[in-house]
Amino acid sequence: MSDFPLLEREMNGKPLIYLDNAATTQKPLAVLQSMEQYYRTHNANVHRGVYQIAAEATDLYEAARGKAAAFLQAKGAENIVFTRGTTDGINLVAQGYLASRLQPGDRILLTVAEHHSNLVPWQRVAKQRGAVLRFLPLRPDGTLDLDVAAREITPRTKLIAVAHISNVLGTIHPIRALADLAHAAGAAVVVDAAQSVPHMPVDVQALDCDFLAFSGHKAYGPTGIGILYGKKDLLAQTEPVQYGGEMIDSVELYDSTWKPAPWKFEAGTPPIAEAVGLGAALDFLTELGMDTVHERVQDVTRYAYEKLTQLAGVTLYGPGLNQTRGGLISFNVGSVHPHDVATVLDACGVAVRAGHHCTQPLMRWLGVHATVRASFGVYNTRDDVDVLVQGIQRVQEVFLP
Amino acid sequence: MTPNLSDLYRQVILDHSQHPRNFGSLDGAVAVALKNPACGDEVTLFLDVADGVIQRAAFEGHGCSISMASASMLTELILRRPLEEALHLNREFRRLLQTGQADDPDALGDLEVLVGVKQFPARIKCALLSWNALEQAIEGIDGTGGNPP
């Protein structure tokens, strides 16, 4: 794809093969141009000015909210909170929604595979309120057993937080089925959609989740902006966690009132250019079509899985090809440390991630210290996978001669 | 410039990482455990010091070939050295990684092969993990003159 300027550069004298899309994606020209255009011609603070360009900035900012609502199939823009990213969104739900509802002994249900961003905020609120964290086990292939989940969900379970797609295993979790179980027990469901929204169609109403968070920069948009989707009544019940300008309705010396959701969550001047950039990224994905994006990433992922399986001494983690999996593959090359693998691949021009991927408990569950992860984006091709495979063969030459 | 893999992964480095020397714990020794939270590498360095001289040195842990080889070579190099000399080697090794040239290259022995790490800035912290532990261990010992009672 020629729409991504960064992908035209070299790395270590080789054409760049960027396979770290689960960490962040590269940006299409349309996103870069939208942000430059915003600063060049529309920059003003939002929601205040009466002059023309202030109204333009406000319109652009609020239009981006509408684009996010449409992209997620939400009922309306009032379901969409601008955040700094997935972590920020989950923290808002933990402190603004859950904290005041949590009684000592209440349970929060997670899986052992959660990213630290969908684990540490719940640890914090559980400690504050004397609540208990419970963890759904995974089957050996990294999938959830819904029968086990059904037994684990009790009237004391107040909230279930789960990744839509595991950022290490690639498992796509059955959100709708979990939501049905949760709602029958009166629990709310929070979805960490950081890995799903960029690469597959996501319909929040079909999933029937209560909250869903994702990051702009993993969805071909800029850093510093993300989206928290919430059901309207739940957002209304959620308290702000940041206070100040922009979020208020009226301010007295000793007391104030807030705007309605989602604006009550957006204290201070928001990241306006970033919101505009995210809107452009969602337009880019919509024009391609999310079914097309999903098919492309699926094709490259399946091809990579087949090729890596054929390499002797390479261990793959997560579901096999009999399951639909997200666009990422974690693996190890014999006993070679993942950082050494990543350094050899780096010299071959291939950017991958090596380490614990912000999932230290999952690494212990897998019985490894770290893995290598190749994660694919809309611009990756089967040719990129072939270079990855050659790089892994080079790793084996260096370390396992 | 294109970094050269064979400069980084010299045979002696692969040998030390695959067959680390002085691997294990030392009872009654000063122990400093450090981890690199960014990558998960962990090293615990054990120093047995008497009369200001390192009598025994060992390490435990897990990590990439660079961190393991560096720790393995460190324990060989500092054995039977006065603490002051170990600190001098520590400074020389850091100079080697930063500038590509130590003032006293002969003093570093096999460790000089880690000069290739200079071409891979992301990996310098791997090579320094056990050396950071050495600095902390000696700082602790300096206050007490030897192993804790």
Side-chain angles (χ1 to χ4, degrees), chain A residues 71-149:
Chain A
F71 194 77
L72 297 175
Q73 315 279 328
K75 280 184 185 151
E78 68 275 14
N79 297 108
I80 302 296
V81 184
F82 283 122
T83 63
R84 285 191 298 134
T86 308
T87 301
D88 195 32
I90 292 171
N91 275 278
L92 174 55
V93 178
Q95 293 300 326
Y97 171 76
L98 187 63
S100 63
R101 288 173 169 66
L102 217 46
Q103 300 299 319
D106 280 350
R107 291 176 172 189
I108 303 168
L109 187 59
L110 313 170
T111 81
V112 295
E114 297 312 313
H115 189 285
H116 296 164
S117 63
N118 197 29
L119 168 59
V120 182
W122 307 117
Q123 289 175 344
R124 174 80 184 140
V125 71
K127 280 195 180 133
Q128 287 167 323
R129 307 293 301 177
V132 180
L133 292 186
R134 302 275 298 185
F135 294 92
L136 288 173
L138 299 174
R139 297 193 189 98
D141 70 353
T143 57
L144 265 184
D145 186 333
L146 280 172
D147 293 336
V148 174

Side-chain angles (χ1 to χ4, degrees), chain A residues 12-14 337 339-348 354-356 360 369-370 394 398-401, chain B residues 1-3 5-6 8-9 14 17-18 35-41 62-66 120 123 126:
Chain A
N12 296 320
K14 307 275 168 47
H337 194 280
H339 284 127
D340 294 318
V341 176
T343 290
V344 175
L345 291 174
D346 172 38
C348 300
H356 53 61
Q360 291 182 20
H369 291 300
R394 181 94 181 88
V398 172
F399 288 95
L400 310 164
Chain B
M1 193 187 74
T2 307
L5 277 182
S6 51
L8 181 65
Y9 294 120
L14 297 181
S17 70
Q18 285 159 7
K35 66 170 76 172
N36 188 337
C39 63
D41 285 7
H62 60 84
C64 65
S65 61
I66 303 302
F120 297 82
R123 305 300 298 279
C126 313

Side-chain angles (χ1 to χ4, degrees), chain A residues 174-184 187 189 207-210:
Chain A
I175 300 300
R176 177 57 196 248
L178 270 178
D180 289 345
L181 291 171
H183 293 152
V189 170
L207 294 175
D208 200 23
C209 53
D210 299 290

Side-chain angles (χ1 to χ4, degrees), chain A residues 57-370:
Chain A
T58 303
D59 286 349
L60 284 167
Y61 180 70
E62 291 301 328
R65 196 190 306 275
K67 289 175 186 182
F71 194 77
L72 297 175
Q73 315 279 328
K75 280 184 185 151
E78 68 275 14
N79 297 108
I80 302 296
V81 184
F82 283 122
T83 63
R84 285 191 298 134
T86 308
T87 301
D88 195 32
I90 292 171
N91 275 278
L92 174 55
V93 178
Q95 293 300 326
Y97 171 76
L98 187 63
S100 63
R101 288 173 169 66
L102 217 46
Q103 300 299 319
D106 280 350
R107 291 176 172 189
I108 303 168
L109 187 59
L110 313 170
T111 81
V112 295
E114 297 312 313
H115 189 285
H116 296 164
S117 63
N118 197 29
L119 168 59
V120 182
W122 307 117
Q123 289 175 344
R124 174 80 184 140
V125 71
K127 280 195 180 133
Q128 287 167 323
R129 307 293 301 177
V132 180
L133 292 186
R134 302 275 298 185
F135 294 92
L136 288 173
L138 299 174
R139 297 193 189 98
D141 70 353
T143 57
L144 265 184
D145 186 333
L146 280 172
D147 293 336
V148 174
R151 285 197 296 277
E152 187 60 39
I153 296 168
T154 75
R156 298 234 65 172
T157 308
K158 290 293 173 265
L159 183 135
I160 302 176
V162 62
H164 197 178
I165 296 180
S166 158
N167 72 310
V168 173
L169 300 171
T171 319
I172 303 179
H173 289 306
I175 300 300
R176 177 57 196 248
L178 270 178
D180 289 345
L181 291 171
H183 293 152
V189 170
V190 182
V191 179
D192 164 5
Q195 300 300 342
S196 61
V197 163
H199 301 127
M200 64 186 271
V202 170
D203 178 334
V204 288
Q205 295 191 73
L207 294 175
D208 200 23
C209 53
D210 299 290
F211 296 97
L212 178 143
F214 76 94
S215 300
H217 71 96
K218 289 186 191 341
Y220 309 96
T223 54
I225 187 93
I227 297 293
L228 174 69
Y229 159 84
K231 286 183 178 168
K232 194 175 176 185
D233 54 332
L234 298 184
L235 285 181
Q237 295 164 29
T238 302
E239 279 296 306
V241 295
Q242 292 226 313
Y243 303 87
E246 294 267 357
M247 53 81 69
I248 47 83
D249 181 24
S250 82
V251 177
E252 307 290 332
L253 275 179
Y254 296 101
D255 204 5
S256 301
T257 55
W258 326 136
K259 283 180 182 167
W263 297 279
K264 69 178 175 182
F265 303 115
E266 297 171 11
T269 297
I272 307 164
E274 287 75 7
V276 171
L278 176 57
L282 299 180
D283 284 344
F284 169 83
L285 289 169
T286 303
E287 274 166 38
L288 273 175
M290 282 313 288
D291 287 326
T292 305
V293 171
H294 186 54
E295 275 163 31
R296 265 191 213 177
V297 172
Q298 281 292 308
D299 177 71
V300 173
T301 307
R302 293 182 75 85
Y303 181 74
Y305 198 95
E306 283 163 13
K307 287 284 172 187
L308 292 179
T309 309
Q310 289 162 14
L311 289 175
V314 173
T315 307
L316 281 74
Y317 304 98
L321 282 183
N322 56 334
Q323 312 252 5
T324 314
R325 47 162 37 247
L328 58 96
I329 300 176
S330 287
F331 61 93
N332 270 315
V333 182
S335 59
V336 183
H337 194 280
H339 284 127
D340 294 318
V341 176
T343 290
V344 175
L345 291 174
D346 172 38
C348 300
V350 181
V352 296
R353 189 81 150 193
H356 53 61
H357 315 292
C358 297
T359 56
Q360 291 182 20
L362 177 61
M363 293 295 112
R364 287 188 276 277
W365 184 80
L366 288 171
V368 299
H369 291 300

